[in-house]
Structure formats: C-alpha cells, structure tokens
Amino acid sequence: MPNKQLIKGFELIKADIIELYDQKKMRASGEFADSLDVVVIDTDKGYNAKLWGNDYAQQLETGRKSGKFPPLEDIKRWIVEKGVFATALQTIKISSLAFLIARKIANEGWKRERFGGVELISTIVTDERIQMIIDDVGAVEAMRVATEIKGMFNELEFA
C-alpha cells in the first residue's frame, strides 16, 4: 500500500505548482494543470513517487530553444484559448498568425522569462522540500515498523 505521507507530500507539490502557474498567468487552457498526476507505488526496494505532466512542462520551466517549428495546431489552440489576439484576428487568418508565431519561436526560441518568469517547477521542487518529504515518510515508516515489532513482542509474551 503506498505511503500516505508520500502521497500527501507529492499532492502538495502538485497544488503548489498549479498555484504558481496561475500566479505567473501562464494558464491558457488549463490543460497543463489538469495533466498533473501523482503516482506512488510500493516496490520491493521501497516507494517510488512521480509527478507526471504534459510533455511541454520543460518548456514552461526553461523556455524553448530555437531551431525547430513548434506544432501549428497547438499554437492555433493557444491563440483561441488565450484570447489576446482578437483585434489581430480581424485582419489576419488564425492559420497565418499561428505560422508567424511558430516562425518567430523557430528563429528566436521562446524565452519564458519575458512572460511571467521561469522556474515554474524548480521553485517548488527543491532539494529541501524533497528531503522534508523523505523525513516525513521515514518517521511514519519507523513508527509503523516499531508498532509491528512491539505487536510481535506482545504476542510472544502471551504465547
């Protein structure tokens, strides 16, 4: 059974990432926040915890390097969802605007710091925070094992 403290720690990380995502006004569709999922499994070697999200989470963290066109359909969807190009769309087709944005990203990259700051994930997922979760999990596990051992001793006394 997955450790409740570990699940709680990762759920808090998820909530804090979503809160910072909204504070930085990065939300367009909300798809990124909705994609975040905590997975904790109990293995023979201990617990394995992961926070999964959309593939573009790295770009939300660091931006995007130049050199390659981003997917046009994703940019079209972003234009509609963000809703900041209403005036431009009166004079230009959405496909043309998406192409221009994609070309600019391909040529110059996308600098996240110009649009609300970088470090969406690394601000939240720090070594200190992970250590706190490990410490909490360790304390709970130590208590569980101690209780099991005490129970075994109690059984031996009455046997």
Side-chain angles (χ1 to χ4, degrees):
M1 181 171 125
N3 182 288
K4 290 178 184 174
Q5 286 299 112
L6 190 56
I7 293 169
K8 180 181 173 186
F10 271 70
E11 286 292 342
L12 287 172
I13 286 174
K14 173 184 166 181
D16 288 348
I17 288 172
I18 292 170
E19 183 179 334
L20 185 58
Y21 171 72
D22 287 334
Q23 284 175 4
K24 290 179 176 274
K25 299 184 182 350
M26 298 170 82
R27 185 180 293 264
S29 67
E31 188 177 308
F32 169 73
D34 294 342
S35 78
L36 293 176
D37 187 31
V38 172
V39 177
V40 177
I41 56 172
D42 190 359
T43 70
D44 293 340
K45 296 180 181 181
Y47 297 109
N48 186 339
K50 295 181 180 177
L51 178 62
W52 293 99
N54 279 354
D55 292 341
Y56 60 85
Q58 184 63 42
Q59 293 169 11
L60 294 176
E61 173 74 12
T62 60
R64 182 186 175 107
K65 292 181 180 179
S66 62
K68 191 174 165 187
F69 264 71
L72 284 175
E73 290 306 314
D74 290 346
I75 292 178
K76 286 179 191 176
R77 193 171 78 240
W78 175 80
I79 289 168
V80 171
E81 290 166 352
K82 202 63 172 171
V84 296
F85 296 101
T87 305
L89 290 175
Q90 292 175 0
T91 59
I92 188 172
K93 291 186 201 177
I94 192 167
S95 57
S96 298
L97 180 58
F99 175 79
L100 293 172
I101 292 170
R103 184 177 64 188
K104 183 170 176 78
I105 292 171
N107 289 336
E108 299 176 16
W110 180 63
K111 313 290 189 283
R112 181 67 230 151
E113 64 272 9
R114 286 189 273 168
F115 303 95
V118 294
E119 301 167 343
L120 172 66
I121 297 165
S122 61
T123 297
I124 305 298
V125 183
T126 62
D127 291 342
E128 294 82 13
R129 183 135 188 207
I130 296 300
Q131 188 59 54
M132 283 175 37
I133 294 171
I134 290 168
D135 292 346
D136 286 348
V137 169
V140 169
E141 283 300 298
M143 184 63 79
R144 184 185 62 79
V145 170
T147 302
E148 285 179 16
I149 292 171
K150 187 175 180 182
M152 286 188 264
F153 281 132
N154 287 340
E155 288 177 17
L156 290 174
E157 286 180 15
F158 295 109

